[in-house]
Amino acid sequence: MKGSRRAAYVGVLSALAIVLSYLESLIPVFIAVPGVKLGLANAVIVVVLYKLGAREAFMVNMVRIAVSGILFGNPVMFLYSLCGGVVSYAVMLVLKKLKVFSVSGVSIAGAVSHNLAQTILACFILENGSIAYYMSVLLITGAVSGLLIGVLASAITESVRFR
């Protein structure tokens, strides 16, 4: 695929990830489990990782985090999003390269590692280790949302061709 076409895909898919992040921000957060989200934009990252490559997935991820942080968040939310996004990307990249897990397995690992990274960051920022008790809930919700996003990303990856 030519460089200009690849750049166009990265731009369009970055825009899609930003729109999905925005739509997800409109969904009311479940009060009992604050901060839990489905992670719709991560479906785009997973598809890009499998269809276009690691560099493109990283670019889409960083553009989404930066633009969403500027438009829909605040500096603290940006920091949490950046931390979770970089860690989950790294985990997904390693697991994809190992070729041990399916697309869904890679997505689950990405979601769980995203939650883990954000929880660890919260413990440091708030200087309160008791926040780690919240991790059990986030592991479960991360695994469930990662599976749902993984199934979606897998179906898209199998059916879409980038030319």
Side-chain angles (χ1 to χ4, degrees), residues 97-161:
K97 285 186 177 191
L98 291 175
K99 298 181 181 180
V100 176
F101 296 98
S102 66
V103 173
S104 294
V106 169
S107 176
I108 291 168
V112 169
S113 62
H114 187 277
N115 290 345
L116 179 61
Q118 287 187 333
T119 303
I120 291 169
L121 180 63
C123 288
F124 281 111
I125 288 176
L126 301 174
E127 297 177 356
N128 185 351
S130 65
I131 295 168
Y133 290 112
Y134 188 53
M135 195 60 218
S136 60
V137 173
L138 290 176
L139 287 174
I140 294 167
T141 58
V144 171
S145 67
L147 176 61
L148 294 172
I149 294 302
V151 168
L152 175 64
S154 182
I156 293 169
T157 301
E158 291 174 14
S159 63
V160 172
R161 282 182 44 183

